[in-house]
Amino acid sequence: MTSLIRNADINRRRLLATGAAAGVLAMPMAACAADAPSEAVEVQIAEGRLRGARTGGVDAYKGVPYGASVSGMNRFKPARPVAPWTGVFDATRLGTPSLQDPTTVYGKNEPAPGEGCLVLNVWTPAGGGKGRPVMVYSHGGGYTTGSGGSTAQDGSMLAREHDVVVVATNHRLGVLGYLYLGELGGADYAGSGNQGLSDIVLALKWVQRNIEAFGGDPANVTIFGESGGGAKTSCLYAMPSVAPLFSKAIIQSGPVVRITTPDVAAQTTRMFLEQLEIAPADWRKVLDVPAPQILAAQKALNAKVKSDSGGWRGIQSLTPGTYGPILDGDLLPHHPFDPTAPASAADKPLMIGWLDNEAAFFAWTGKDVEAFRLDEAGLKARLSGRFGDKAPALIDAYRSDRPGATPSDIYLAAASYYAMGAGSVLAAERKAAQGRAPAYVYNIAYRSNRRMDGTDIELGAMHASDIPLVFNTVASPDTLAGSRADRFAAARNVSAMWANFARTGRPSAPGQPAWPPYDPKTRSTMVLDVACTVVPDRFGAERRAWAKVDPAA
């Protein structure tokens, strides 16, 4: 899956970076108790005392600093732990998101993005307790946008209903998180291409040090994330030095099989410096460039580097001019799932999956109305343009496996599997082959009734509509999960599966069938919906068809 799984969300990242999807994800997505009266609460952690807010039976601490300054001479270097403070730190408001356009973060009363972004949020059931499972979330938005403060990802409902502690981090993104200076800066900048990930590692160390104060169990930590957050989770799962900091992982629509190499990252660095009119020999000048100019240069380079993925290929492009994790002899010495699943996580259970209609999101945010109205000629033209003379056989396989499917149904299903499904299946296969800890594969089939703007087209089980289901933030009819009355039942199932996996390593939900681990013979897949079902080798015919189109599939 080398060329296939360039790993999962480049278009979403580009669209969000340009603000194209801002109106979509910025809509209200608050949990049901968000407007309840609050009272002040305090907790003592290793660095000092925090003041949070208790609302609806959940204590929330927001904007908690976990890292020291990463600006000026500290740019592109590993973050250090935040220094202890005196007095009481006010943790009742969200902290600063990583540097990006302000239209691509979606928190309520969230500060303007900037460099002082090493903060996290904690939600925990009120009233004491200890030994709770801990769920540490990495937000989506590729490697360039988003924050842990999004209202769609508010951890209150997960904490309240499932007795877990939820943590969400902000961390460096884009140039500040992934600009590789090892070639120019030498040993002092050897890890510079992965600082966005190293920030999350620092937050996981904070969790180990402090989570007991919130009732959490530092020996039972699950890392999870969606889209770009799934990509980050894929990488964290593969880091040998991070293995002691977590026990399980969930990768949502973000399988990363391979990552960028230092030589490609070095080309990106030179392209970025050229955008700033800085000669490679004078690279240190980038340490003094004001943050707004850094962002402007990043956006200008993004505009020059055109992706041809069309929502088909994963979260990270391996071409110069894009930002994301790189192979690093220290932090990330191997590709996450190539040629095998990571040995350092062999004993750690993994959940991985995608949604039935992922590609609808990218067509929606890309204003590609025609994707939903294709005729036979249009379908053949789109697939032939990408897969040449192998397209007819692929279309025949989908039509045989999906009687009655329209040309658009086939196009969107193929795009969804190729972008997200194939990498998820490959990762699960390689995880299962280790025989040490289970892999669980899911598809989310719940169909949102959100419509494409100005049309009657329902978007269905599209990319990112799992977020409100996982966090059970579906009370508002404006979430990506839509307004159907049965969304509450679907959210109860999905959130319970996630929380119980975090608790025991085995996903389950009341009244739903037992979820068997994935293996290469049965390929059991849990289809998550209002009523969940286990289906053996759900997309087997299509999987085999893709193997002929792209042997890596």
Side-chain angles (χ1 to χ4, degrees):
M1 232 155 266
T2 50
S3 64
L4 161 60
I5 313 300
R6 301 302 192 197
N7 302 314
D9 186 66
I10 185 76
N11 270 358
R12 165 173 161 160
R13 181 180 65 189
R14 189 179 75 246
L15 288 165
L16 291 180
T18 59
V24 174
L25 296 184
M27 296 180 179
M29 296 183 178
C32 62
D35 297 323
S38 298
E39 60 179 295
V41 290
E42 293 189 6
V43 66
Q44 181 71 39
I45 62 172
E47 292 78 18
R49 198 153 186 83
L50 296 172
R51 178 183 300 113
R54 178 170 295 174
T55 309
V58 174
D59 294 347
Y61 297 86
K62 299 180 179 179
V64 180
Y66 67 85
S69 171
V70 286
S71 61
M73 295 305 294
N74 294 323
R75 268 185 187 168
F76 315 114
K77 288 187 174 182
R80 294 164 289 117
V82 68
W85 57 80
T86 58
V88 180
F89 183 89
D90 182 8
T92 60
R93 296 186 294 270
L94 293 173
T96 301
S98 182
L99 185 68
Q100 62 193 283
D101 191 294
T103 63
T104 57
V105 293
Y106 315 109
K108 187 176 181 180
N109 299 321
E110 200 163 15
E115 291 191 76
C117 64
L118 301 190
V119 297
L120 54 78
N121 308 318
V122 181
W123 295 268
T124 187
K130 61 182 181 180
R132 296 184 175 103
V134 182
M135 303 179 70
V136 181
Y137 185 73
S138 293
H139 65 76
Y143 298 110
T144 56
T145 67
S147 80
S150 167
T151 49
Q153 300 152 13
D154 184 287
S156 298
M157 288 291 283
L158 264 181
R160 179 185 302 110
E161 297 199 340
H162 300 291
D163 198 36
V164 298
V165 180
V166 182
V167 180
T169 68
N170 287 355
H171 37 268
R172 281 175 284 181
L173 300 169
V175 168
L176 297 179
Y178 297 99
L179 189 71
Y180 173 60
L181 290 170
E183 180 190 58
L184 300 175
D188 287 348
Y189 292 89
S192 54
N194 285 325
Q195 299 306 9
L197 292 176
S198 74
D199 292 344
I200 304 174
V201 176
L202 187 65
L204 288 169
K205 292 177 179 178
W206 183 97
V207 167
Q208 291 295 308
R209 191 167 59 248
N210 288 311
I211 208 65
E212 285 184 295
F214 302 90
D217 180 359
N220 189 10
V221 174
T222 297
I223 55 174
F224 72 124
E226 182 273 342
S227 193
K232 297 163 196 170
T233 302
S234 297
C235 294
L236 292 167
Y237 190 73
M239 295 180 186
S241 63
V242 183
L245 304 179
F246 72 97
S247 55
K248 297 174 287 294
I250 307 171
I251 299 170
Q252 302 171 218
S253 301
V256 169
V257 175
R258 295 180 59 82
I259 53 174
T260 302
T261 54
D263 59 322
V264 173
Q267 293 179 61
T268 297
T269 299
R270 292 173 181 271
M271 294 167 70
F272 178 72
L273 292 176
E274 183 179 355
Q275 195 65 45
L276 288 169
E277 299 183 347
I278 296 175
D282 297 326
W283 69 269
R284 287 187 179 275
K285 290 182 179 179
V286 78
L287 303 178
D288 300 318
V289 174
Q293 192 175 342
I294 290 281
L295 181 60
Q298 175 182 307
K299 292 170 69 174
L301 181 56
N302 288 348
K304 288 183 178 180
V305 179
K306 302 297 185 182
S307 166
D308 69 348
S309 67
W312 290 80
R313 301 180 185 235
I315 289 229
Q316 183 175 334
S317 170
L318 303 186
T319 57
T322 58
Y323 310 103
I326 67 169
L327 283 176
D328 175 335
D330 181 23
L331 192 64
L332 194 46
H334 308 289
H335 292 293
F337 286 94
D338 188 65
T340 63
S344 59
D347 61 344
K348 301 178 187 299
L350 174 68
M351 266 177 64
I352 189 167
W354 71 101
L355 295 97
D356 280 2
N357 203 31
E358 295 268 0
F361 176 91
F362 303 106
W364 177 26
T365 54
K367 303 186 186 306
D368 182 12
V369 179
E370 289 306 308
F372 300 95
R373 296 173 175 169
L374 295 176
D375 57 16
E376 197 67 25
L379 170 64
K380 290 179 179 178
R382 289 196 178 210
L383 294 187
S384 296
R386 186 167 295 275
F387 302 111
D389 60 5
K390 296 180 180 180
L394 187 63
I395 293 171
D396 288 345
Y398 270 87
R399 181 159 287 116
S400 175
D401 198 44
R402 298 171 184 245
T406 68
S408 286
D409 292 338
I410 291 173
Y411 173 75
L412 293 169
S416 297
Y417 184 85
Y418 194 57
M420 306 292 183
S424 299
V425 168
L426 181 60
E429 288 176 345
R430 291 179 173 173
K431 174 64 181 175
Q434 291 178 316
R436 294 274 302 280
Y440 297 94
V441 174
Y442 71 84
N443 303 142
I444 292 182
Y446 181 77
R447 294 184 58 82
S448 170
N449 62 351
R450 286 297 298 269
R451 295 184 176 184
M452 189 169 190
D453 302 337
T455 75
D456 59 356
I457 298 167
E458 291 192 355
L459 297 166
M462 63 177 165
H463 185 74
S465 64
D466 55 330
I467 297 173
L469 299 178
V470 168
F471 286 89
N472 201 355
T473 53
V474 297
S476 167
D478 291 327
T479 75
L480 294 186
S483 60
R484 286 168 40 187
D486 59 3
R487 70 190 186 277
F488 295 99
R492 283 194 297 270
N493 288 339
V494 174
S495 62
M497 294 284 190
W498 264 238
N500 285 329
F501 177 75
R503 177 167 283 104
T504 68
R506 297 182 302 277
S508 63
Q512 302 307 311
W515 186 341
Y518 188 89
D519 68 70
K521 292 183 179 180
T522 61
R523 299 180 179 271
S524 296
T525 301
M526 178 63 81
V527 181
L528 297 166
D529 206 327
V530 175
C532 303
T533 55
V534 176
V535 179
D537 202 6
R538 187 176 182 221
F539 297 122
E542 297 163 15
R543 174 179 53 80
R544 290 186 291 272
W546 277 115
K548 296 177 181 178
V549 172
D550 185 330

